[in-house]
Amino acid sequence: MNKILPTLILSFVASLLLAQQTPGGSTPIVQNNTKEITSPNLQKEVIVSGSIIEKDTGVPLEYATVAFFSQLENRIVTGGISDVDGNFRIPVPAGVYDISIEFISFKKVTISNKKLIQDENLGSFALEIDAESLDEVEIIAERTTVEFRLDKKIYNIGKDLTVRGGTVSDVLDNVPSVSVDVEGNVSLRGNDDVRILINGKPSGLVGLNSTDALRQLPAESIERVEVITSPSARYDAEGTAGILNIILRRSKLQGLNGAITVNGGYPTSAGISGNINYRTGDFNFFNTTGYNYREVPGNSFTETEFFNDDDPSTFLTEDREFDRIRKGINTNFGVEWYVNDTFSITNSIVYRNSDNESNTINLIDETDAFGTTTRTTRFDPELEDDKTIQYSLNLDKQWNGNSDHRLTFEFQYETSEEDERSFVNQDGTDVEDVSTVEAQDRVLIQTDFVQPLGENGQFELGYRGNFNKLDTDYNVAFSDDGINFEPSSALSNNLLYDENVNAFYSQFGNKLGEKFSYLLGLRMESTRITINQITSGNFEKKNYTQLFPTVNLAYEITEDESFTIGYSRRIRRPRSRFINPFPSRSSPTSLFQGDPDLDPSISDAFDIGYLNRLGKLTISGSVYFQHATDIFSFITRATDDFYSFETNETVNINDPDFDEINANYDLVPVVIRGPINLATNDRYGGEITFTYRPNRKFNVNANFNLFQSITKGDYQGQNFDAENLSWFARLNAKYTLPGAIDWQTRLFYRGPSETAQSKNKGIFSTDLAFSKDVFNENGSLAFRVSDLFNTRKRVGDSFTPTFNSTGTFQWRQRSYNVSFTYRFNQKKKRERSNGQGGDDDLEFEG
């Protein structure tokens, strides 16, 4: 049934869409913006030309827009932009038009009821600066703008200097409500169960390991980030914290345009990335490509005290140095074909290949009950190769040129491979051979129909299928002599994991009067999971079906002040690693083990938001509450196994020779960490964001998030109740120095956190950046320092009945970066003004 259903849907949608095309294959080609092109097959075409200059100086205005509006058809029929000399030459179907000439921050010029029946030169248009809009335009050009929807906040990535030459991970760490910890894990309002999408879908640009992938994608490839804390029924129910939807840059300007960025820094890093678009007639070609090389040194220190009942404690100290090399290429190439004025087809292919290397030196000091210390040196060189290929097809059918009345179909196929291997050397001898090979195939099928109802109403109906197959082959072999390796049957295993999710959803939205809007939705997801342990022969199936209602309400008090209320039901499904019962090792004494009986966690989330614009000050905030059942909690527990660094062997306490081995060698207890289903978690908190711009040279943005987490549950007779009050704050300030040099500083602090078994101290970091525009604003030169005071470290304590430990971890040290961006056929301010920032109508986007 799971295979037949997507096939039927694919056949139905394709037939319906193709049936909308004009017979004969010769149809008008129109794009729904001011750069539209109409085929000459239906009526005579004339050439309209002219020039556009600035009134006060006589300087030609490049990229001014010329649009031809037909009152008969009630739409813009075609249009174009001026060239570097201010000239335009546009083919137009003969007819009567209202012609508009516009350029950002200049007053619009309109020629009404102009009859065009032959080639005509309209002459020269001298545009006058609009003093009232000039200040507003410059504000938009100088900051990251925010738009509000009923179910999301949209952050348009503007002139953010602290991410120049950086990665997507750097961008996310600068978005209000979002934080990225020292290991690269992304959380939303302090909750790490975040669903990360690219262009609204799971993407091959993320691949098998989203944390590493986000650290390799260039920041310049992002156009905006959508923060969806109360997702509507259109989105997957996965992700109890919400959704981060990353939208990549793509232009639809006529002709060739794009930008390229090169960067380098210390510790050694270098990269080049670019985006390019070519629009000609019926087709738009787009590509985003990036290559990067980064050396990422890091370190960690852990000290553990083991309790030995009535005997004195023993101690284990581990001092690690990491030398990592991250290098990879990613590219996204696609073609949009505007078949006719209401139907378009988009094909794209994504390729990502990364080649990573990590060399870890671990100095291990064991101190026995008599105070004698023995040192062991372990060297772990790891090589990792990741490759992902993704193909996607999108069909978009609109009715009567109305983008709110449409039928869309998407198909996406992705294949990923990840190969990790390391030879562990201990005191000069190769002792372990560890390899992990993962292969994943994912298929996504979605169809969505939107029907306007009345003046403001909207009904939506859709289906989405996610089909995932993952093959994980984990092998560990040990050697006594560094030559002959013997596989470990206790650790090596092969896991086949299948997850199929079929979802049907519907939602309805409307606006009552001028003040109140609502969007109500219901989603049903049917999940089937298969767990096939090839090594042990164990086979399990899980099937469950759930309903996920969503409610989003908005009330506009005034044009500048509004409230929103959101409710959504979400799910967190266990990943394959969470349910794999075979342990994997981060060190000989620390294992991770999954639980095949782990159940999904269900949460109900409520959110109340507020927005107010007070002149030069904008305030936005929210309070939220979430109740979750069967939550995943990661606990650490002792085992009956002990490890000897001297012999590189593990021995069980029930072994007949255990007492003799324990008398002759120093044994270190082996601990296991893994997920369990605890009873409940209640999370509530509030956040507030201030944006203040007193003048053109200075602006500041501050975000504060405070949240309380209460977890309750027992496991194997031990109580794991915990309460944690934590917070994080972010301050961004930007000032324009003399010489038009922009200076930006970012301060970030995450407060202390606590679980039933651990306490972590607060983390503070500072980023600093400078930028200067060159080459008539076609180029930008930037310099930034990440973690200026080298304080971005995790410091914490862990405690169990059998041992306590304290540790410090720093994934990346302070870094410096210089980048240069050059834009061709793109005006910087024009590019930044996209989105307009003030477009905060609480409309439906789903």
Side-chain angles (χ1 to χ4, degrees):
M1 178 64 184
N2 284 311
K3 295 182 179 179
I4 296 175
L5 183 60
T7 304
L8 293 175
I9 293 174
L10 173 62
S11 302
F12 168 75
V13 174
S15 300
L16 180 59
L17 291 175
L18 293 174
Q20 306 299 324
Q21 300 184 44
T22 304
S26 178
T27 57
I29 312 299
V30 181
Q31 182 197 0
N32 294 316
N33 60 25
T34 58
K35 292 97 182 163
E36 303 182 70
I37 302 296
T38 303
S39 170
N41 295 350
L42 301 181
Q43 62 189 104
K44 178 183 177 182
E45 192 173 78
V46 300
I47 302 298
V48 178
S49 58
S51 63
I52 305 170
I53 62 173
E54 183 179 345
K55 182 177 181 180
D56 294 336
T57 64
V59 174
L61 293 177
E62 183 185 7
Y63 294 105
T65 60
V66 183
F68 296 81
F69 179 83
S70 171
Q71 294 187 10
L72 181 64
E73 300 182 39
N74 193 31
R75 67 183 181 93
I76 295 176
V77 174
T78 188
I81 56 178
S82 57
D83 60 21
V84 67
D85 298 318
N87 298 321
F88 62 88
R89 181 180 173 84
I90 305 170
V92 184
V96 178
Y97 299 96
D98 292 339
I99 306 174
S100 63
I101 297 93
E102 296 182 79
F103 190 72
I104 193 165
S105 77
F106 286 76
K107 292 182 179 180
K108 178 180 177 181
V109 173
T110 301
I111 305 174
S112 301
N113 296 318
K114 178 65 175 179
K115 188 174 183 180
L116 300 173
I117 57 175
Q118 61 184 5
D119 295 352
E120 185 170 343
N121 188 316
L122 299 178
S124 179
F125 297 90
L127 300 189
E128 183 180 356
I129 290 178
D130 187 346
E132 294 182 359
S133 67
L134 182 60
D135 183 62
E136 177 185 357
V137 169
E138 290 186 352
I139 290 176
I140 292 170
E142 292 298 323
R143 61 181 174 92
T144 298
T145 58
V146 184
E147 301 172 35
F148 292 82
R149 297 290 184 266
L150 265 175
D151 59 345
K152 72 182 74 172
K153 297 176 184 176
I154 303 174
Y155 295 88
N156 298 298
I157 307 303
K159 195 180 180 184
D160 191 341
L161 310 183
T162 60
V163 301
R164 291 279 180 88
T167 66
V168 170
S169 186
D170 297 320
V171 171
L172 293 180
D173 200 25
N174 219 13
V175 172
S177 307
V178 180
S179 61
V180 182
D181 68 16
V182 294
E183 293 178 291
N185 300 307
V186 180
S187 62
L188 181 58
R189 293 172 167 175
N191 188 341
D192 63 356
D193 184 30
V194 184
R195 179 74 160 167
I196 297 178
L197 306 176
I198 294 185
N199 292 336
K201 302 182 291 294
S203 175
L205 288 173
V206 175
L208 286 166
N209 190 329
S210 61
T211 299
D212 281 345
L214 294 175
R215 285 170 168 163
Q216 294 183 8
L217 294 176
E220 287 76 18
S221 64
I222 297 181
E223 178 177 321
R224 65 183 186 272
V225 176
E226 298 178 347
V227 178
I228 310 172
T229 53
S230 182
S232 69
R234 177 188 296 178
Y235 294 101
D236 285 340
E238 181 77 29
T240 57
I243 295 172
L244 294 178
N245 187 21
I246 300 170
I247 306 299
L248 302 181
R249 292 188 184 276
R250 186 194 304 180
S251 172
K252 295 184 179 181
L253 291 175
Q254 284 289 340
L256 181 68
N257 63 88
I260 187 170
T261 298
V262 294
N263 71 85
Y266 176 83
T268 305
S269 67
I272 182 170
S273 63
N275 61 84
I276 189 170
N277 292 265
Y278 179 64
R279 174 73 190 276
T280 175
D282 314 344
F283 295 93
N284 183 44
F285 301 87
F286 57 90
N287 176 255
T288 301
T289 298
Y291 173 82
N292 72 79
Y293 173 95
R294 297 176 188 273
E295 295 182 6
V296 189
N299 59 82
S300 71
F301 179 84
T302 305
E303 185 174 28
T304 305
E305 177 185 3
F306 296 96
F307 309 126
N308 301 309
D309 297 326
D310 295 332
D311 296 329
S313 297
T314 54
F315 298 86
L316 180 71
T317 300
E318 297 185 67
D319 188 357
R320 289 185 175 94
E321 293 289 338
F322 308 103
D323 286 317
R324 309 181 194 88
I325 297 177
R326 300 287 186 263
K327 49 187 175 181
I329 185 172
N330 60 83
T331 185
N332 177 23
F333 174 77
V335 180
E336 293 174 287
W337 175 29
Y338 303 98
V339 181
N340 58 38
D341 59 347
T342 63
F343 182 37
S344 65
I345 301 174
T346 303
N347 285 276
S348 65
I349 186 169
V350 169
Y351 175 77
R352 187 176 74 88
N353 193 339
S354 61
D355 183 11
N356 300 328
E357 180 180 335
S358 179
N359 295 315
T360 303
I361 297 177
N362 188 6
L363 301 180
I364 304 168
D365 290 330
E366 302 171 74
T367 303
D368 61 21
F370 303 101
T372 303
T373 300
T374 304
R375 167 162 288 192
T376 302
T377 301
R378 285 175 64 90
F379 176 59
D380 185 0
E382 180 182 288
L383 298 177
E384 179 182 335
D385 185 27
D386 298 335
K387 184 181 295 183
T388 298
I389 299 176
Q390 174 189 291
Y391 167 77
S392 62
L393 167 69
N394 176 276
L395 308 179
D396 189 335
K397 166 64 184 175
Q398 301 179 17
W399 277 268
N400 302 320
N402 183 1
S403 62
D404 291 331
H405 187 191
R406 70 198 309 170
L407 174 67
T408 60
F409 173 79
E410 294 183 66
F411 171 80
Q412 181 174 289
Y413 172 74
E414 175 190 314
T415 178
S416 301
E417 296 177 359
E418 182 179 289
D419 189 350
E420 298 180 15
R421 184 157 190 171
S422 66
F423 280 98
V424 179
N425 183 288
Q426 184 168 300
D427 293 331
T429 303
D430 290 334
V431 294
E432 293 181 28
D433 179 4
V434 183
S435 68
T436 304
V437 178
E438 287 188 304
Q440 178 176 258
D441 291 323
R442 293 198 299 185
V443 174
L444 165 69
I445 299 175
Q446 179 165 358
T447 183
D448 187 87
F449 175 72
V450 181
Q451 171 72 57
L453 297 175
E455 183 178 353
N456 297 310
Q458 180 176 289
F459 173 76
E460 184 173 355
L461 181 69
Y463 162 81
R464 180 164 178 150
N466 291 288
F467 310 97
N468 180 22
K469 291 181 178 291
L470 178 62
D471 183 347
T472 303
D473 194 0
Y474 179 67
N475 290 283
V476 181
F478 298 104
S479 174
D480 295 327
D481 55 13
I483 300 175
N484 301 304
F485 287 83
E486 182 177 345
S488 170
S489 58
L491 295 174
S492 300
N493 70 95
N494 185 200
L495 171 69
L496 301 182
Y497 174 82
D498 288 4
E499 180 183 279
N500 297 332
V501 181
N502 287 288
F504 294 89
Y505 60 90
S506 178
Q507 58 185 16
F508 174 74
N510 204 350
K511 188 170 186 178
L512 303 179
E514 298 297 324
K515 301 289 187 179
F516 181 70
S517 302
Y518 64 88
L519 181 62
L520 310 177
L522 181 64
R523 184 182 185 94
M524 184 211 63
E525 291 192 352
S526 177
T527 305
R528 186 182 72 179
I529 294 177
T530 301
I531 307 165
N532 187 4
Q533 284 284 347
I534 302 299
T535 305
S536 63
N538 293 334
F539 184 86
E540 294 189 39
K541 281 187 177 181
K542 289 193 174 186
N543 296 279
Y544 43 88
T545 300
Q546 288 121 341
L547 295 176
F548 301 93
T550 62
V551 178
N552 288 283
L553 311 174
Y555 183 76
E556 298 178 61
I557 302 172
T558 66
E559 187 178 18
D560 295 321
E561 186 178 12
S562 61
F563 281 97
T564 59
I565 299 176
Y567 163 76
S568 63
R569 196 164 191 252
R570 310 290 294 165
I571 186 172
R572 182 178 190 179
R573 298 183 181 90
R575 290 180 288 175
S576 62
R577 184 169 182 255
F578 291 0
I579 59 177
N580 189 348
F582 279 83
S584 59
R585 310 203 311 169
S586 59
S587 77
T589 60
S590 180
L591 308 180
F592 182 93
Q593 185 176 35
D595 180 3
D597 293 325
L598 203 64
D599 293 321
S601 175
I602 303 294
S603 67
D604 294 277
F606 302 84
D607 184 285
I608 300 177
Y610 174 73
L611 169 70
N612 196 355
R613 288 190 172 85
L614 303 170
K616 298 178 179 180
L617 174 67
T618 299
I619 303 173
S620 64
S622 65
V623 293
Y624 51 88
F625 170 76
Q626 183 180 82
H627 175 75
T629 58
D630 291 328
I631 63 164
F632 301 165
S633 288
F634 295 88
I635 65 169
T636 302
R637 60 189 186 275
T639 69
D640 291 334
D641 291 335
F642 292 80
Y643 179 79
S644 170
F645 284 97
E646 298 162 275
T647 63
N648 190 40
E649 291 182 350
T650 300
V651 59
N652 190 273
I653 196 171
N654 298 313
D655 192 301
D657 299 324
F658 178 80
D659 291 335
E660 181 181 351
I661 297 172
N662 189 31
N664 295 324
Y665 301 100
D666 294 326
L667 299 183
V668 179
V670 176
V671 298
I672 284 184
R673 184 173 184 267
I676 62 171
N677 284 122
L678 278 183
T680 63
N681 174 261
D682 289 327
R683 176 186 296 269
Y684 55 90
E687 65 174 336
I688 189 167
T689 300
F690 297 93
T691 301
Y692 178 59
R693 186 183 182 96
N695 53 55
R696 299 179 187 177
K697 290 187 175 182
F698 178 70
N699 70 83
V700 61
N701 176 280
N703 173 247
F704 178 78
N705 197 310
L706 175 70
F707 51 90
Q708 170 89 6
S709 176
I710 303 175
T711 301
K712 294 185 177 181
D714 296 280
Y715 180 73
Q716 294 183 350
Q718 183 177 349
N719 183 268
F720 286 90
D721 290 358
E723 293 191 20
N724 175 38
L725 177 66
S726 189
W727 57 279
F728 64 84
R730 179 187 288 107
L731 177 68
N732 258 309
K734 185 178 169 193
Y735 183 75
T736 302
L737 300 169
I741 298 175
D742 291 329
W743 168 26
Q744 183 173 340
T745 300
R746 188 191 74 143
L747 306 177
F748 178 82
Y749 180 78
R750 178 186 297 161
S753 61
E754 183 175 342
T755 69
Q757 289 188 319
S758 66
K759 290 183 178 180
N760 292 313
K761 295 182 179 180
I763 298 175
F764 173 76
S765 65
T766 304
D767 297 334
L768 186 67
F770 298 90
S771 177
K772 168 70 176 174
D773 293 336
V774 294
F775 302 132
N776 194 27
E777 292 196 341
N778 287 316
S780 299
L781 183 65
F783 170 74
R784 68 182 176 94
V785 184
S786 297
D787 195 10
L788 179 65
F789 302 109
N790 206 34
T791 54
R792 195 174 176 87
K793 302 176 183 179
R794 185 185 68 224
V795 180
D797 300 314
S798 298
F799 32 86
T800 73
T802 58
F803 69 89
N804 286 346
S805 69
T806 182
T808 301
F809 178 81
Q810 184 177 29
W811 192 87
R812 181 180 65 181
Q813 300 175 9
R814 174 176 49 228
S815 63
Y816 307 86
N817 185 273
V818 177
S819 66
F820 175 72
T821 299
Y822 185 79
R823 294 167 290 275
F824 53 94
N825 293 338
Q826 290 183 351
K827 277 297 182 184
K828 186 178 181 183
K829 289 185 179 179
R830 180 180 182 81
E831 180 185 54
R832 293 184 201 147
S833 66
N834 229 4
Q836 295 300 306
D839 181 16
D840 295 324
D841 292 335
L842 298 170
E843 59 189 49
F844 310 113
E845 278 205 358

